[in-house]
Amino acid sequence: MPAGTRWTGASILLLLLLAFPLVFTQPHPRHVVITIFLFAMLAQAWNLLAGYCGQISLGHAVFFGAGAYTSTLLVKYFDLSPWLGMVVGAVVAVAVSQLIGYPVFRLRGHYFAIATIAVGEIVNTLMINWDWAGGARGLFVPIKRPDSFLNLQFHQSKQNYYYIALGLLLLAFWITRKVERSRMGYYLRAIREDQDAAASLGIPVAAYKQRAMALSAALTALGGSFYAQYILFIDPDSVFPTALSILICLVAVLGGIGTLWGPLIGAAILIPLGEWTRIYFGGTGKAMDLLIYGALIMLVSIIQPGGIMALAQRGRRRTG
Amino acid sequence: MTAEVLVQGLVSGLLMGFVYALIAAGLSLIFGLMEIVNFAHGEFLMGAMFATFWAWALWKLDPLVSLPLTLALLALLGLLVYHGLIRWILGAPMLAQIFATFGLAIFMRAAAQALWGADFRLVKNPLVDGRVSLGGVFIGLPQLVASVGALVAFGFLYWFIRRTETGLALQATSQDRQAAMLMGIDTQRMFALGWAIGAACVGAAGALLAMFFYIFPDVGATFALLAYVTVALGGFGNVPATLLAGVIVGVVEVLGGLLIAPALKYAVVFSLYLVVVLWRPQGLLGRF
């Protein structure tokens, strides 16, 4: 596809997304699309580290939770605006990521993946036992009335949340695009392909892994802060579980990792599907939704391990 | 804290460590063979525990009596999973492999929930029950039997890998797939065998655990996580090393619970793993 057509396509998509809440005024469709935006953004953040740099993290919920908790605690105890909380949350997540990165980046492949799960479990356990931060009971975000942009609370409609989520998604896309085309992007891909070769060419491998992790963590934390302010309740089980880390990478993997559009495609398919199976099969309390989900994941792994982007690229090669 | 409590803790940690080691051994064996981590390992364990439970609930079979049955059933499950899923992703990227077994884990857990609900179940009045006192240290009999059983199973596994011809072929495949193939070893069969044996280990461990542990669809999660850490601690693909690592994990878990806080015991185990990894990224006895 020529670059011009692609930009036209992207612009049309953006216009459609901007117009969506004006057409669909019901809360539920808006909520589904907001969730798609959120997970596309989280998957994009994960993609920066895993897709471009090849470091398969299975503990990204740590950064999500760091953002969610930092902004919520700052509102609760210091009455700080969640917007400021978002920024502080991102800074906290970056600090945590650098701390984690030091031991885990010495590991490769499965060792790395398992160490990130272990980190996620450690943080989850600590949060459950930290009473000041709500412990296992969790935290309610203090309700502010009336609606205010400064407090990031809109009780009348989901429209503003929609545009904020879209803004965050665009930010994640813009950053990924910038990285993809910069020197850093080439370094990250070199590390992904062969880190020993990359090191022998003089690329500071450890430093660039840390940098990718920091960027990824900051973006994930922004998503976490948004989630907390949108749902207005958080607990360790909803923002720190390994299941969330897995879902984030699943979205990216389904769409196709190491590509700009993969995370959005993955979220646009997986989130409505999850929503649909939950509504039609989940109400019976029999976990039928998860049954379908699990079977689907296995099928995708067998049939198209490169994700949907790989399928699209293969199709394009055949026609072109 | 008195010395007695400490000794008591050390002993129960040691006993539990043998069971952890047996669970981890299956994981390590499969990884050593084909560099695939089975993220559904905990769900295999859950399946074994449920099999034990139903053998008891339906036919009044004691966990120890139905153990060979559970073991065979799990070996069959291992074969099924290998031929139905793993064989198709052998050449796929690592991520696809990770997610294939993750999908299986979600599927199995949901299936257990759909079939049997989320209730906690317990095998009541097992053959061995109560506790004994050994030099002032009290040991639960089911725990003692479980750990001895785990040790026996571990010993058998070790003997099989090191002393039988098939075991040597397994080892050869794990060391160099290409060379093994050139020597006339059917590597596909070795892979399938690896999954059968790996799952059988979990089958034995599940039957032993079911004597004294609650049985529910999510029971595998914690054990699986401990098993991953155990394998990584010992060194991936190094089966004997999992015995050492399992004991360390069991003892650290109990000590962490006693000295720091019971709620934080797993966090202590995982932290220890991260500390070890700083010093030896390949695990205690692993090659890199």
Side-chain angles (χ1 to χ4, degrees):
Chain A
M1 225 186 302
T5 331
R6 207 179 308 155
W7 278 113
T8 317
S11 313
I12 292 172
L13 178 67
L14 184 61
L15 276 176
L16 285 177
L17 291 180
L18 283 171
F20 181 86
L22 307 177
V23 180
F24 292 87
T25 50
Q26 295 294 312
H28 188 252
R30 284 180 177 178
H31 171 72
V32 173
V33 181
I34 290 171
T35 314
I36 292 175
F37 289 163
L38 177 64
F39 273 93
M41 179 219 183
L42 296 172
Q44 190 67 280
W46 182 82
N47 190 27
L48 264 175
L49 180 66
Y52 289 96
C53 191
Q55 307 301 307
I56 312 295
S57 156
L58 297 177
H60 254 50
V62 167
F63 308 130
F64 185 81
Y69 266 91
T70 306
S71 61
T72 305
L73 287 170
L74 288 178
V75 177
K76 190 176 160 72
Y77 289 114
F78 304 102
D79 208 20
L80 272 182
S81 163
W83 291 104
L84 207 64
M86 264 191 183
V87 178
V88 180
V91 172
V92 169
V94 169
V96 171
S97 78
Q98 299 308 289
L99 220 64
I100 294 173
Y102 184 67
V104 297
F105 278 136
R106 298 162 57 90
L107 305 172
R108 297 183 185 191
H110 290 99
Y111 284 88
F112 177 82
I114 285 170
T116 56
I117 298 181
V119 169
E121 288 295 325
I122 292 171
V123 175
N124 194 356
T125 313
L126 292 180
M127 292 309 292
I128 288 173
N129 290 284
W130 191 15
D131 282 330
W132 186 74
R137 280 167 289 117
L139 288 174
F140 285 97
V141 178
I143 306 287
K144 309 269 165 138
R145 289 186 187 275
D147 285 12
S148 101
F149 185 77
L150 187 70
N151 288 326
L152 218 164
Q153 285 191 12
F154 314 99
H155 308 292
Q156 305 304 325
S157 99
K158 290 182 186 293
Q159 186 166 332
N160 289 321
Y161 289 116
Y162 180 96
Y163 286 119
I164 294 169
L166 181 59
L168 287 173
L169 176 64
L170 290 176
L171 176 72
F173 260 71
W174 180 72
I175 289 179
T176 308
R177 177 101 182 146
K178 279 272 172 212
V179 169
E180 201 178 41
R181 302 207 155 171
S182 69
R183 176 190 295 261
M184 180 174 169
Y186 288 102
Y187 280 4
L188 294 188
R189 272 167 283 185
I191 294 169
R192 175 186 70 193
E193 295 309 326
D194 188 339
Q195 76 171 59
D196 296 321
S200 74
L201 291 174
I203 295 175
V205 170
Y208 271 88
K209 280 183 184 173
Q210 291 277 24
R211 234 180 261 189
M213 178 97 135
L215 210 51
S216 181
L219 275 172
T220 309
L222 291 184
S225 297
F226 171 78
Y227 172 85
Q229 306 310 318
Y230 175 56
I231 303 290
L232 296 172
F233 171 73
I234 52 171
D235 64 348
D237 226 28
S238 60
V239 300
F240 277 115
T242 303
L244 176 68
S245 304
I246 305 298
L247 182 58
I248 292 173
C249 16
L250 197 61
V251 167
V253 170
L254 179 72
I257 66 165
T259 64
L260 185 65
W261 292 97
L264 183 60
I265 294 171
I269 292 171
L270 207 58
I271 299 302
L273 186 87
E275 195 74 7
W276 181 75
T277 50
R278 189 174 59 77
I279 288 169
Y280 285 94
F281 301 102
T284 55
K286 291 286 194 187
M288 288 304 284
D289 53 333
L290 289 174
L291 208 66
I292 296 171
Y293 217 58
L296 189 88
I297 296 168
M298 284 188 277
L299 266 180
V300 171
S301 309
I302 292 176
I303 299 168
Q304 191 40 263
I308 290 161
M309 282 299 285
L311 206 66
Q313 272 156 8
R314 200 166 61 182
R316 193 181 304 160
R317 222 170 292 140
R318 202 167 289 160
T319 53
Chain B
M1 182 188 317
T2 61
E4 278 157 51
V5 179
L6 201 67
V7 172
Q8 180 85 49
L10 281 174
V11 170
S12 54
L14 187 74
L15 294 184
M16 206 55 202
F18 294 144
V19 181
Y20 290 157
L22 183 60
I23 302 174
L27 199 66
S28 188
L29 182 78
I30 292 170
F31 182 87
L33 267 178
M34 55 188 99
E35 307 227 331
I36 286 180
V37 173
N38 177 19
F39 281 100
H41 207 64
E43 280 58 40
F44 281 25
L45 185 78
M46 179 269 294
M49 290 174 80
F50 265 108
T52 305
F53 173 80
W54 286 115
W56 171 80
L58 297 175
W59 306 313
K60 298 280 168 251
L61 288 183
D62 188 81
L64 282 178
V65 177
S66 64
L67 195 147
L69 232 72
T70 311
L71 201 141
L73 191 72
L74 262 284
L76 211 65
L77 176 71
L79 278 181
L80 188 75
V81 167
Y82 175 75
H83 284 292
L85 180 66
I86 306 303
R87 200 152 62 92
W88 308 98
I89 51 157
L90 279 178
M94 180 180 135
L95 256 176
Q97 296 175 340
I98 288 180
F99 277 104
T101 53
F102 256 121
L104 180 65
I106 295 172
F107 183 84
M108 286 182 68
R109 216 183 285 186
Q113 186 132 7
L115 288 170
W116 306 309
D119 301 340
F120 281 53
R121 294 159 205 266
L122 196 61
V123 174
K124 290 184 195 100
N125 307 317
L127 275 180
V128 285
D129 206 2
R131 53 183 197 170
V132 289
S133 164
L134 289 177
V137 178
F138 286 101
I139 299 168
L141 263 181
Q143 281 87 342
L144 185 65
V145 171
S147 60
V148 171
L151 261 185
V152 170
F154 204 96
F156 186 76
L157 176 70
Y158 187 75
W159 167 81
F160 180 82
I161 294 178
R162 288 296 163 94
R163 291 285 178 265
T164 65
E165 200 165 321
T166 319
L168 292 175
L170 268 179
Q171 270 190 314
T173 311
S174 132
Q175 271 163 19
D176 190 334
R177 201 180 297 182
Q178 298 295 328
M181 222 184 296
L182 291 175
M183 294 300 126
I185 294 170
D186 184 349
T187 49
Q188 287 272 340
R189 260 190 68 205
M190 288 302 127
F191 290 164
L193 184 69
W195 277 83
I197 297 175
C201 290
V202 182
L208 294 168
L209 267 177
M211 291 194 299
F212 60 91
F213 210 87
Y214 282 103
I215 300 155
F216 53 101
D218 286 352
V219 66
T222 310
F223 285 104
L225 218 57
L226 287 173
Y228 302 136
V229 168
T230 305
V231 173
L233 192 64
F236 268 106
N238 186 340
V239 175
T242 57
L243 188 62
L244 173 69
V247 168
I248 293 176
V249 166
V251 169
V252 169
E253 179 194 327
V254 171
L255 287 186
L258 280 177
L259 302 174
I260 300 169
L264 296 180
K265 60 181 187 179
Y266 295 127
V268 175
V269 174
F270 300 145
S271 308
L272 168 92
Y273 162 63
L274 290 183
V275 171
V276 170
V277 142
L278 257 176
W279 160 58
R280 275 186 76 81
Q282 71 275 46
L284 288 172
L285 299 173
R287 305 152 294 186
F288 217 22

